[in-house]
C-alpha cells in the first residue's frame, strides 16, 4: 500500500526515495496515511556533507513527525485540536493535529 502511494504522489520510483509514514485505520480496510518522502540523491548530498565533517547521524526524521511525538508525550492530546508551528529563518511549517492524527501539514 505504501509503495503504491509513494509512486502515485511522487514523480519517481519508491526505490529512489527515503520516506516515513504513519497509517491509522479509519474504518475496516480504509486507512488515513501521512506520507513524507525525499529523493535519495538530495538527502545523500547532505549525508555526505555531514560525513565530511565527521558527523554521524543516528536518526533522521521529518520535523512534523518529531513534533507529533513530542505532543503525544502530554496527557489528553487525543482529545484536542492542536496546531504546531516550526519556525526557522526561512520557513514556517504549520501542522494541524486532530485527535492525535495529522490533518494538515504545510
Amino acid at each position: 500500500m505504501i509503495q503504491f502511494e509513494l509512486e502515485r504522489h511522487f514523480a519517481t520510483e519508491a526505490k529512489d526515495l527515503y520516506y516515513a509514514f504513519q497509517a491509522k485505520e479509519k474504518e475496516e480496510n480504509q486507512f488515513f496515511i501521512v506520507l513524507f518522502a525525499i529523493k535519495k540523491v538530495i538527502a545523500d548530498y547532505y549525508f555526505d556533507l555531514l560525513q565530511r565533517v565527521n558527523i554521524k547521524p543516528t536518526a533522521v526524521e521529518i520535523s512534523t513527525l518529531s513534533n507529533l511525538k513530542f505532543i503525544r508525550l502530554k496527557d489528553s492530546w487525543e482529545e484536542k485540536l492542536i496546531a504546531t508551528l516550526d519556525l526557522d529563518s526561512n520557513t514556517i511549517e504549520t501542522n494541524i493535529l486532530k485527535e492525535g492524527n495529522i490533518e494538515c501539514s504545510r
Side-chain angles (χ1 to χ4, degrees), residues 25-101:
E25 191 167 11
K26 291 174 85 171
E27 298 175 18
E28 188 174 330
N29 294 323
Q30 288 187 346
F31 293 86
F32 179 77
I33 298 171
V34 178
L35 182 61
F36 302 91
I38 186 170
K39 290 183 178 182
K40 287 182 178 180
V41 67
I42 294 169
D44 288 344
Y45 169 80
Y46 291 101
F47 292 143
D48 183 54
L49 286 178
L50 291 172
Q51 186 177 27
R52 288 179 190 196
V53 294
N54 204 28
I55 296 175
K56 299 174 183 148
T58 56
V60 176
E61 187 170 62
I62 303 295
S63 61
T64 300
L65 295 181
S66 294
N67 291 336
L68 179 58
K69 287 179 184 178
F70 176 74
I71 290 167
R72 287 181 172 170
L73 295 174
K74 298 295 234 174
D75 293 333
S76 70
W77 58 268
E78 290 182 339
E79 301 163 3
K80 298 178 182 177
L81 182 65
I82 297 171
T84 66
L85 295 174
D86 189 355
L87 308 171
D88 70 30
S89 62
N90 296 317
T91 62
I92 299 174
E93 181 180 319
T94 306
N95 302 292
I96 306 295
L97 310 171
K98 182 179 178 185
E99 298 174 357
N101 297 305

